[in-house]
Amino acid sequence: CQVVEGSPLALQLAASWIKLLSPAEIANEIRQNFDVLSSRSTQVDEKHHSIEAVFEYSWQRLADEERAVLRKLSVFEGGFTRDAASNIAAAKLAILATLADKSLIRTAGENRFDLHPLIKQFAALKLAAREEEQRQTQEKHASFFELMISNPRAFPEPSILQKLMSDYENALASWRWVISNKVGQDISSFANGLGMFTLACLRSSEGVMVFQNAEACLRNVEHIHVPSL
C-alpha cells in the first residue's frame, strides 16, 4: 500500500502474487521494476492488463513537449519547485498545469510538485531510453543543486534553510551524480556546502555516511579532498 500509494489497480495487480510472494517481497519487486504489476488473466481488459499499459495509454495522448518534460521530471527526488522544473526540464507553467490536469504530476505544497512513485518509475524508463537526453538532464539537475548547496551563507536564513530542506533528497542525488561523473574535478565547494547543509538540517549522522561513501568512491583519485563532518 505504501509503495504504490494506495493505487487501486496497482493493489489489485500486486495482490495476485500473494500465493507466491510475501507482502515484503512484492513491495521489493515493485521498487525494483513495476513489471510485476501485471495480470496473468486473459479476462482483463487490455488497457488495464498492467500498470505500464495504463501509463502508456496516457503517454500516447501527450504532446511531444509534454512527454519530454515528464521524462526529465523523473530525475527529481522528493519533488521539485517550478523554478527547478523550468531550469532542469524546460517545463513551462502551462505544461505543468496540463500534466497536473492529467494526474501525471501533483501538487506537494506551496509552489511544489512531485510524481507518484510508479509514474516516476515509468517516466525514468522513458528517459533511460534516450541516453544523451538522460545525461544532459542529470547534469543540469546536479549543477542546479550543486549551485544551491554551495552557497553556505544562505543557511542561517530560516526561510531559505526551510526551502533547502525540502530539496534534501535532490541535494543528495546531485552529490551522488557529481561523485560518479566529475572524478578529477574540483568538488570542494560542493562538499563544504553539503557538510554545512547536513549540519543545519540536523542530519549530521546521515551526512557522515554520505561522506564516507564518497570517500570510498574517490579513494584512488588524486587532488580531491572530501572534508569530514
Side-chain angles (χ1 to χ4, degrees):
C1 288
Q2 293 173 359
V3 171
V4 303
E5 295 191 356
S7 167
L9 177 60
L11 289 173
Q12 182 180 355
L13 294 170
S16 68
W17 293 96
I18 200 64
K19 292 183 179 180
L20 296 175
L21 304 171
S22 70
E25 289 172 325
I26 295 172
N28 188 53
E29 289 289 334
I30 296 170
R31 290 189 187 97
Q32 295 182 45
N33 192 326
F34 63 22
D35 282 351
V36 72
L37 296 177
S38 60
S39 173
R40 298 181 300 282
S41 172
T42 58
Q43 306 301 315
V44 179
D45 179 84
E46 183 178 353
K47 190 175 71 174
H48 297 98
H49 178 75
S50 68
I51 282 293
E52 184 176 9
V54 172
F55 294 158
E56 188 66 36
Y57 181 83
S58 298
W59 177 262
Q60 294 300 328
R61 281 154 180 74
L62 295 176
D64 289 344
E65 189 176 6
E66 294 165 350
R67 292 180 193 173
V69 168
L70 187 58
R71 284 195 303 266
K72 294 172 184 178
L73 292 178
S74 68
V75 301
F76 287 102
E77 300 291 342
F80 52 91
T81 62
R82 277 179 53 191
D83 183 43
S86 176
N87 279 273
I88 297 165
K92 301 174 184 176
L93 181 58
I95 291 181
L96 292 177
T98 298
L99 294 176
D101 288 343
K102 296 181 179 180
S103 300
L104 294 171
I105 67 171
R106 58 194 180 183
T107 57
E110 185 179 356
N111 186 36
R112 202 164 178 84
F113 305 86
D114 69 5
L115 281 72
H116 188 285
L118 296 179
I119 295 177
K120 172 178 165 59
Q121 193 176 143
F122 174 83
L125 289 173
K126 294 292 187 182
L127 183 62
R130 296 169 173 257
E131 186 175 343
E132 182 59 22
E133 180 178 278
Q134 182 185 42
R135 185 195 64 78
Q136 291 178 356
T137 306
Q138 289 178 325
E139 185 169 354
K140 287 181 180 179
H141 178 274
S143 296
F144 183 90
F145 289 101
E146 179 179 358
L147 181 62
M148 182 182 76
I149 295 302
S150 298
N151 179 21
R153 290 175 298 177
F155 298 151
E157 295 292 335
S159 60
I160 298 178
L161 178 58
Q162 185 62 43
K163 178 182 177 181
L164 292 176
M165 288 175 67
S166 298
D167 278 312
Y168 187 79
E169 295 303 324
N170 278 312
L172 293 187
S174 64
W175 170 254
R176 288 191 293 268
W177 191 91
V178 165
I179 291 299
S180 300
N181 294 274
K182 290 191 175 182
V183 174
Q185 298 185 34
D186 182 15
I187 59 170
S188 58
S189 178
F190 193 8
N192 285 320
L194 185 64
M196 293 187 66
F197 184 40
T198 55
L199 287 173
C201 294
L202 303 180
R203 301 177 76 161
S204 56
S205 296
E206 186 175 350
V208 169
M209 292 181 62
V210 168
F211 278 101
Q212 286 175 339
N213 291 337
E215 184 180 20
C217 292
L218 301 174
R219 186 172 294 139
N220 297 321
V221 180
E222 297 181 354
H223 310 305
I224 290 185
H225 171 62
V226 180
S228 67
L229 293 173

